[in-house]
Coordinates of all heavy atoms in Angstrom, one line a residue:
P281 N -67.7 107.8 -80.2 CA -68.4 107.2 -79.0 C -67.7 106.0 -78.6 O -67.2 105.1 -79.2 CB -69.8 106.7 -79.6 CG -70.0 107.8 -80.7 CD -68.7 108.0 -81.3
F282 N -67.5 105.9 -77.2 CA -66.8 104.8 -76.5 C -67.1 103.5 -76.9 O -66.3 102.5 -77.0 CB -66.9 105.0 -75.0 CG -65.9 104.3 -74.2 CD1 -64.6 104.6 -74.2 CD2 -66.4 103.2 -73.4 CE1 -63.7 103.8 -73.4 CE2 -65.6 102.5 -72.6 CZ -64.2 102.8 -72.6
T283 N -68.5 103.1 -77.2 CA -68.9 101.9 -77.5 C -68.7 101.4 -79.0 O -69.1 100.4 -79.4 CB -70.3 101.7 -77.1 OG1 -71.2 102.7 -77.9 CG2 -70.6 101.8 -75.7
N284 N -68.1 102.3 -79.8 CA -68.0 102.0 -81.3 C -66.7 101.4 -81.6 O -66.5 101.2 -82.8 CB -68.1 103.4 -82.0 CG -69.6 103.9 -82.1 OD1 -70.5 103.2 -81.5 ND2 -69.8 104.9 -82.9
Y285 N -65.9 101.1 -80.6 CA -64.6 100.4 -81.1 C -64.1 99.4 -79.9 O -64.6 99.6 -78.8 CB -63.5 101.4 -81.2 CG -63.3 102.6 -80.3 CD1 -62.6 102.4 -79.1 CD2 -64.1 103.8 -80.5 CE1 -62.5 103.4 -78.2 CE2 -64.0 104.8 -79.5 CZ -63.2 104.6 -78.4 OH -63.1 105.6 -77.4
A286 N -63.2 98.6 -80.3 CA -62.6 97.7 -79.3 C -61.4 98.2 -78.6 O -60.7 99.1 -79.2 CB -62.2 96.4 -80.0
M287 N -61.2 97.8 -77.4 CA -59.9 98.3 -76.8 C -59.1 97.1 -76.3 O -59.6 96.0 -76.1 CB -60.3 99.0 -75.4 CG -61.2 100.3 -75.7 SD -60.3 101.6 -76.5 CE -59.2 102.0 -75.2
A288 N -57.8 97.3 -76.3 CA -56.9 96.2 -75.9 C -55.7 96.7 -75.2 O -55.3 97.9 -75.2 CB -56.4 95.5 -77.2
W289 N -55.0 95.8 -74.5 CA -53.8 96.1 -73.9 C -52.7 95.2 -74.3 O -52.9 93.9 -74.6 CB -53.8 95.9 -72.3 CG -54.5 96.9 -71.5 CD1 -55.9 96.9 -71.2 CD2 -54.1 98.2 -71.0 NE1 -56.2 98.1 -70.5 CE2 -55.1 98.9 -70.4 CE3 -52.8 98.7 -71.1 CZ2 -54.9 100.0 -69.8 CZ3 -52.7 100.0 -70.5 CH2 -53.6 100.6 -69.9
F290 N -51.6 95.7 -74.7 CA -50.4 95.0 -75.0 C -49.2 95.4 -74.1 O -49.3 96.4 -73.4 CB -50.0 95.3 -76.5 CG -50.9 94.7 -77.6 CD1 -52.2 95.4 -77.8 CD2 -50.6 93.5 -78.1 CE1 -53.0 94.8 -78.7 CE2 -51.5 93.0 -79.0 CZ -52.7 93.6 -79.4
R291 N -48.1 94.6 -74.1 CA -47.0 95.0 -73.5 C -45.7 94.6 -74.1 O -45.8 93.7 -74.9 CB -47.0 94.3 -71.9 CG -46.8 92.8 -71.9 CD -46.9 92.2 -70.5 NE -46.6 90.8 -70.5 CZ -46.7 90.1 -69.3 NH1 -47.0 90.7 -68.2 NH2 -46.4 88.8 -69.4
Q292 N -44.6 95.2 -73.8 CA -43.4 95.0 -74.5 C -42.2 95.2 -73.5 O -42.0 96.3 -73.0 CB -43.1 95.8 -75.7 CG -42.0 95.5 -76.5 CD -42.0 96.2 -77.9 OE1 -42.6 97.2 -78.1 NE2 -41.2 95.6 -78.8
A293 N -41.4 94.1 -73.2 CA -40.2 94.2 -72.4 C -39.0 94.5 -73.3 O -39.0 94.2 -74.5 CB -40.1 92.9 -71.7
P294 N -38.0 95.2 -72.8 CA -36.7 95.4 -73.6 C -36.2 94.1 -74.3 O -36.1 93.1 -73.7 CB -35.8 95.9 -72.6 CG -36.7 96.5 -71.5 CD -37.8 95.6 -71.4
G295 N -36.0 94.3 -75.6 CA -35.5 93.1 -76.3 C -36.4 92.0 -76.7 O -36.1 91.0 -77.2
K296 N -37.7 92.2 -76.4 CA -38.7 91.2 -76.6 C -39.8 91.7 -77.6 O -39.9 93.0 -77.8 CB -39.3 90.7 -75.4 CG -38.4 90.0 -74.5 CD -39.1 89.4 -73.2 CE -38.2 88.7 -72.2 NZ -38.9 88.2 -71.1
E297 N -40.6 90.8 -78.2 CA -41.7 91.2 -79.0 C -42.9 91.7 -78.2 O -43.0 91.4 -77.1 CB -42.1 90.0 -79.9 CG -41.1 89.4 -80.8 CD -40.7 90.2 -82.0 OE1 -41.6 91.0 -82.4 OE2 -39.6 90.2 -82.4
R298 N -43.6 92.6 -78.9 CA -44.9 93.1 -78.3 C -45.8 91.9 -78.1 O -46.1 91.2 -78.9 CB -45.5 94.2 -79.1 CG -46.7 94.9 -78.4 CD -47.0 96.1 -79.1 NE -46.1 97.2 -79.0 CZ -46.1 98.4 -79.4 NH1 -47.2 98.8 -80.1 NH2 -45.1 99.3 -79.3
E299 N -46.4 91.9 -76.8 CA -47.2 90.7 -76.4 C -48.6 91.2 -76.1 O -48.9 92.1 -75.4 CB -46.6 90.1 -75.2 CG -47.3 89.0 -74.6 CD -46.8 88.5 -73.2 OE1 -46.0 89.3 -72.7 OE2 -47.1 87.4 -72.8
F300 N -49.6 90.4 -76.6 CA -51.0 90.6 -76.3 C -51.3 90.3 -74.9 O -50.8 89.3 -74.3 CB -51.9 89.7 -77.2 CG -53.3 89.8 -76.8 CD1 -54.1 90.9 -77.1 CD2 -53.8 88.7 -76.2 CE1 -55.4 90.8 -76.7 CE2 -55.1 88.7 -75.7 CZ -56.0 89.7 -76.1
V301 N -52.1 91.2 -74.2 CA -52.5 91.0 -72.8 C -54.0 90.7 -72.6 O -54.4 89.7 -72.2 CB -52.0 92.2 -72.0 CG1 -52.6 92.0 -70.5 CG2 -50.6 92.4 -72.0
A302 N -54.9 91.6 -73.1 CA -56.2 91.5 -73.0 C -56.9 92.4 -73.9 O -56.4 93.5 -74.3 CB -56.7 91.8 -71.5
T303 N -58.3 92.2 -74.2 CA -59.0 92.9 -75.1 C -60.4 93.0 -74.7 O -61.0 92.1 -74.0 CB -58.9 92.6 -76.6 OG1 -59.6 93.5 -77.4 CG2 -59.5 91.2 -76.8
F304 N -61.2 94.1 -75.0 CA -62.6 94.3 -74.6 C -63.4 94.8 -75.8 O -62.9 95.7 -76.5 CB -62.7 95.3 -73.4 CG -64.1 95.6 -73.0 CD1 -64.7 94.8 -72.0 CD2 -64.9 96.5 -73.7 CE1 -65.9 95.1 -71.5 CE2 -66.2 96.7 -73.3 CZ -66.8 96.0 -72.2
S305 N -64.5 94.2 -76.1 CA -65.4 94.7 -77.1 C -66.8 94.5 -76.8 O -67.1 93.6 -76.0 CB -65.0 94.1 -78.5 OG -65.5 92.8 -78.6
W306 N -67.8 95.1 -77.4 CA -69.1 94.9 -77.2 C -69.7 93.6 -77.8 O -70.6 93.0 -77.3 CB -70.0 96.0 -77.8 CG -69.8 97.4 -77.0 CD1 -69.0 98.5 -77.4 CD2 -70.3 97.6 -75.7 NE1 -69.0 99.4 -76.5 CE2 -69.8 98.9 -75.5 CE3 -71.1 97.0 -74.8 CZ2 -70.2 99.6 -74.2 CZ3 -71.5 97.6 -73.7 CH2 -71.0 98.9 -73.4
S307 N -68.9 93.1 -78.8 CA -69.4 91.9 -79.4 C -69.0 90.6 -78.7 O -69.9 89.7 -78.6 CB -68.9 91.9 -80.9 OG -67.5 91.8 -80.9
I308 N -67.9 90.5 -78.2 CA -67.5 89.3 -77.5 C -66.9 89.5 -76.1 O -66.3 88.7 -75.5 CB -66.4 88.5 -78.4 CG1 -65.1 89.2 -78.4 CG2 -67.0 88.2 -79.7 CD1 -64.0 88.4 -79.0
T309 N -67.2 90.6 -75.6 CA -66.8 91.1 -74.2 C -65.3 91.1 -74.1 O -64.6 92.0 -74.5 CB -67.5 90.3 -73.2 OG1 -67.1 88.9 -73.3 CG2 -69.0 90.4 -73.3
T310 N -64.7 90.1 -73.4 CA -63.3 90.1 -73.0 C -62.5 88.9 -73.6 O -63.2 87.8 -73.7 CB -63.2 90.3 -71.6 OG1 -63.7 89.2 -70.9 CG2 -63.7 91.6 -71.1
Y311 N -61.3 89.0 -73.7 CA -60.4 87.8 -74.1 C -59.1 88.2 -73.6 O -58.5 89.3 -73.6 CB -60.4 87.6 -75.5 CG -59.6 86.4 -76.0 CD1 -60.2 85.2 -75.9 CD2 -58.3 86.5 -76.5 CE1 -59.5 84.0 -76.3 CE2 -57.6 85.4 -76.9 CZ -58.2 84.2 -76.8 OH -57.6 83.0 -77.2
Y312 N -58.4 87.1 -73.0 CA -57.1 87.2 -72.3 C -56.1 86.3 -72.9 O -56.4 85.2 -73.4 CB -57.1 87.0 -70.9 CG -58.1 87.9 -70.1 CD1 -59.5 87.6 -70.0 CD2 -57.7 89.1 -69.5 CE1 -60.4 88.5 -69.3 CE2 -58.6 90.0 -68.9 CZ -59.9 89.6 -68.7 OH -60.7 90.5 -68.1
A313 N -54.8 86.6 -72.8 CA -53.8 85.7 -73.1 C -53.8 84.7 -72.1 O -54.0 84.9 -70.9 CB -52.4 86.5 -73.0
D314 N -53.6 83.4 -72.5 CA -53.8 82.2 -71.6 C -52.9 82.3 -70.5 O -53.4 81.9 -69.3 CB -53.4 80.9 -72.4 CG -54.6 80.6 -73.4 OD1 -55.6 81.1 -73.3 OD2 -54.3 79.8 -74.3
S315 N -51.7 82.8 -70.5 CA -50.8 82.8 -69.4 C -51.1 83.9 -68.3 O -50.5 83.9 -67.3 CB -49.4 83.0 -69.9 OG -49.2 84.2 -70.6
L316 N -52.0 84.8 -68.7 CA -52.3 86.0 -67.8 C -53.7 86.0 -67.3 O -54.0 86.8 -66.4 CB -52.0 87.3 -68.5 CG -50.6 87.4 -69.2 CD1 -50.5 88.8 -70.0 CD2 -49.6 87.4 -68.0
K317 N -54.6 85.3 -67.8 CA -56.1 85.4 -67.6 C -56.5 85.1 -66.1 O -57.5 85.7 -65.7 CB -57.0 84.6 -68.5 CG -56.6 83.1 -68.5 CD -57.5 82.4 -69.5 CE -57.2 80.9 -69.5 NZ -58.0 80.1 -70.5
S318 N -55.6 84.4 -65.4 CA -55.9 84.2 -64.0 C -55.6 85.3 -63.1 O -56.0 85.3 -62.0 CB -55.2 82.9 -63.6 OG -53.8 83.1 -63.6
R319 N -54.8 86.2 -63.6 CA -54.3 87.3 -62.7 C -54.7 88.8 -63.3 O -54.7 89.7 -62.4 CB -52.7 87.4 -62.7 CG -52.2 86.0 -62.1 CD -50.7 86.1 -61.9 NE -50.0 86.2 -63.2 CZ -49.2 87.1 -63.6 NH1 -49.0 88.2 -62.9 NH2 -48.6 87.1 -64.8
F320 N -55.0 88.9 -64.5 CA -55.3 90.2 -65.1 C -56.8 90.3 -65.4 O -57.4 89.2 -66.0 CB -54.5 90.4 -66.4 CG -53.0 90.7 -66.1 CD1 -52.4 90.4 -64.9 CD2 -52.2 91.2 -67.2 CE1 -51.0 90.6 -64.7 CE2 -50.8 91.4 -67.0 CZ -50.3 91.1 -65.7
T321 N -57.4 91.5 -65.3 CA -58.8 91.7 -65.6 C -58.8 93.0 -66.3 O -58.3 94.0 -65.9 CB -59.6 91.8 -64.4 OG1 -59.5 90.5 -63.7 CG2 -61.0 91.9 -64.7
I322 N -59.5 93.1 -67.5 CA -59.9 94.3 -68.2 C -61.3 94.7 -67.9 O -62.2 93.9 -67.8 CB -59.6 94.1 -69.7 CG1 -59.7 95.4 -70.4 CG2 -60.5 93.1 -70.3 CD1 -59.3 95.4 -71.9
S323 N -61.5 96.0 -67.7 CA -62.8 96.5 -67.4 C -63.0 97.9 -68.1 O -62.1 98.6 -68.4 CB -63.1 96.5 -65.9 OG -62.1 97.4 -65.2
R324 N -64.3 98.5 -67.9 CA -64.6 99.8 -68.4 C -65.4 100.6 -67.6 O -66.3 100.1 -66.8 CB -65.3 99.6 -69.8 CG -65.9 100.8 -70.4 CD -66.6 100.4 -71.8 NE -65.7 100.1 -72.8 CZ -66.0 99.8 -74.0 NH1 -67.3 99.7 -74.3 NH2 -65.0 99.4 -74.9
D325 N -65.1 101.9 -67.6 CA -66.0 102.9 -66.9 C -66.4 103.9 -67.9 O -65.7 104.8 -68.3 CB -65.1 103.6 -65.8 CG -65.9 104.5 -64.9 OD1 -67.0 105.0 -65.4 OD2 -65.5 104.7 -63.7
N326 N -67.7 103.7 -68.2 CA -68.4 104.6 -69.3 C -68.4 106.1 -68.9 O -68.2 107.0 -69.6 CB -69.8 104.1 -69.6 CG -69.7 102.8 -70.4 OD1 -68.8 102.5 -71.1 ND2 -70.8 102.0 -70.3

């Protein structure tokens, strides 16, 4: 069931480490990387 787990986005540029972008869960809703939160939004369509 869709509501039974957390979802997240990461990104990785060539030659760089994988970077956290944003996450969504039922317990704490959403959380963003500080440098991206003003421009990126995570959402869900059940």
Side-chain angles (χ1 to χ4, degrees):
F282 192 69
T283 57
N284 284 7
Y285 48 88
M287 302 289 296
W289 287 94
F290 291 79
R291 68 183 187 181
Q292 187 168 21
K296 297 184 178 180
E297 299 291 330
R298 186 165 295 185
E299 176 188 16
F300 170 77
V301 175
T303 186
F304 180 98
S305 74
W306 291 104
S307 59
I308 67 170
T309 64
T310 61
Y311 186 78
Y312 300 89
D314 288 342
S315 62
L316 303 176
K317 61 184 178 182
S318 64
R319 299 186 293 118
F320 290 12
T321 302
I322 188 169
S323 62
R324 171 179 290 178
D325 186 333
N326 289 333

